[in-house]
Amino acid sequence: MYEVRFHGRGGQGAVMAAQTLAEAAVNEGNYAVAFPFFGAERRGAPVLAFTRIDSKKIFSKTQVYNPDCVVVLDDSLLDTIDVVSGLKPEGIAVINSKEKPEDIDLGKTINTATVDAVSIALEILKAPITNTAILGAFAKATGIIKIESLEESIKRKFGEKLGEKTGEKNALAARTAYEKTVMGKSRGIKKLEARKQWLPTYQEMPVGGSLIESKTDAGLIGPGSFIENKVSGWATYRPLRDREKCVMCLLCWFYCPEGTIHRISNKGDLMTNYDYCKGCGVCANECPVDAIKMVRARA
């Protein structure tokens, strides 16, 4: 059995990638299953998805704890999650990154493939959705599935949902990534440490389940604890405001879903806190005088 674990963020299409891979495997005469695991239900939160492929019927229903391959759709996850946890010694990591494999420190020296899936997606799809591009890299790195089978599954699955042209563009993204994937070995320098978690006993849980503001060994909990979750590392775009054009209508401040825009003087000047800006572009879309442009946060 060949087991794959996808690491992504909500909105990047990790679940659809796992499903598309399973479908391609079935079309090649295999058995396959795919399923997700969600934590916080919000865009940008880390998510997991899994695919199992075998020539025999598959009865295992657990998460994949010892994968043959880990696929990382967002390299900012490398700073917060041990993505290679449980990876088999002969396994491989496929990572969306502009870096070469030898420049990536996974805490272990393992077979690694990298591809700049964000740039490919922006060029072909005009959006930083990297799931189909990373599948092309997976096909190149593992040889488990033919790129032609993936292309057909992508056209069918994405075309059925989003239209024929969109399906063809996503298949092209997979093919382009397949051709641009770089193979090598990662570095194994950093020390891998399990992230602390707050796992209260039932006696510690508040009545009604409503947490109060508090600090634990694992960090802050309750109202306001989100300040520990800085997102500056994984935003694809960030807003850039032109002060000369800005008329201080404050529509950007009003519509920002994360509350990252602040008035910083009595004259009403504005500042964006990039630590918490996800680069959604709502501010630029709502600006009536086009004073805000979205630029690549990670060129």
Side-chain angles (χ1 to χ4, degrees):
M1 184 185 298
Y2 196 87
E3 297 179 299
V4 185
R5 186 174 68 211
F6 291 81
H7 292 268
R9 294 188 184 277
Q12 290 181 328
V15 177
M16 206 158 176
Q19 294 171 343
T20 304
L21 175 58
E23 181 177 309
V26 169
N27 290 339
E28 289 191 356
N30 298 291
Y31 292 94
V33 294
F35 54 98
F37 173 78
F38 295 103
E41 292 279 357
R42 60 184 172 84
R43 190 176 183 86
V47 299
L48 293 172
F50 311 96
T51 302
R52 287 191 171 97
I53 302 170
D54 202 350
S55 58
K56 302 175 184 176
K57 289 186 177 179
I58 299 170
F59 296 100
S60 178
K61 303 298 182 185
T62 67
Q63 294 185 32
V64 173
Y65 297 104
N66 298 112
D68 298 275
C69 177
V70 292
V71 179
V72 184
L73 280 77
D74 188 324
D75 62 353
S76 69
L77 291 169
L78 303 180
D79 297 327
T80 57
I81 297 174
D82 179 10
V83 298
V84 295
S85 175
L87 182 67
K88 294 174 182 174
E90 67 280 12
I92 186 169
V94 180
I95 302 172
N96 166 26
S97 174
K98 62 183 179 181
E99 306 290 343
K100 296 178 181 177
E102 56 268 29
D103 295 328
I104 294 179
D105 187 359
L106 294 176
K108 299 177 182 176
T109 300
I110 58 176
N111 295 322
T112 302
T114 62
V115 68
D116 187 358
V118 172
S119 293
I120 293 171
L122 288 175
E123 180 182 348
I124 298 174
L125 307 177
K126 311 304 180 188
I129 302 175
T130 56
N131 52 358
T132 48
I134 204 70
L135 284 177
F138 172 87
K140 180 68 171 292
T142 66
I144 292 296
I145 206 82
K146 295 177 182 175
I147 183 63
E148 292 80 7
S149 301
L150 274 175
E151 288 175 314
E152 287 305 312
S153 292
I154 289 169
K155 287 179 184 176
R156 195 202 66 76
K157 196 167 186 64
F158 286 74
E160 189 178 72
K161 200 169 184 178
L162 304 170
E164 183 178 349
K165 288 186 177 179
T166 301
E168 291 176 352
K169 285 184 178 179
N170 277 277
L172 176 59
R175 170 65 74 167
T176 304
Y178 178 87
E179 294 170 351
K180 292 187 175 182
T181 297
V182 179
M183 306 289 293
K185 286 188 178 292
S186 65
R187 293 190 295 166
I189 299 174
K190 71 178 180 182
K191 185 179 180 181
L192 299 176
E193 296 180 352
R195 188 176 185 184
K196 291 183 179 179
Q197 299 183 61
W198 182 61
L199 299 172
T201 63
Y202 75 90
Q203 295 98 332
E204 295 172 317
M205 288 297 293
V207 176
S210 297
L211 296 174
I212 60 173
E213 185 177 339
S214 183
K215 187 173 184 179
T216 71
D217 291 340
L220 298 176
I221 60 171
S225 59
F226 74 96
I227 62 173
E228 291 190 341
N229 299 321
K230 296 181 179 180
V231 302
S232 57
W234 53 269
T236 303
Y237 291 103
R238 65 184 179 92
L240 199 62
R241 186 170 62 97
D242 185 335
R243 289 187 176 183
E244 298 299 321
K245 287 186 177 181
C246 180
V247 295
M248 292 301 295
C249 66
L250 297 181
L251 284 177
C252 57
W253 168 81
F254 182 81
Y255 281 105
C256 177
E258 304 296 332
T260 63
I261 299 174
H262 305 280
R263 303 176 72 168
I264 58 174
S265 72
N266 292 332
K267 295 181 180 179
D269 201 4
L270 301 175
M271 179 194 76
T272 299
N273 188 340
Y274 291 119
D275 282 346
Y276 305 104
C277 174
K278 295 179 179 177
C280 64
V282 169
C283 55
N285 188 60
E286 296 297 333
C287 181
V289 294
D290 293 327
I292 301 175
K293 290 184 178 179
M294 300 303 293
V295 299
R296 282 288 298 270
R298 291 181 290 166

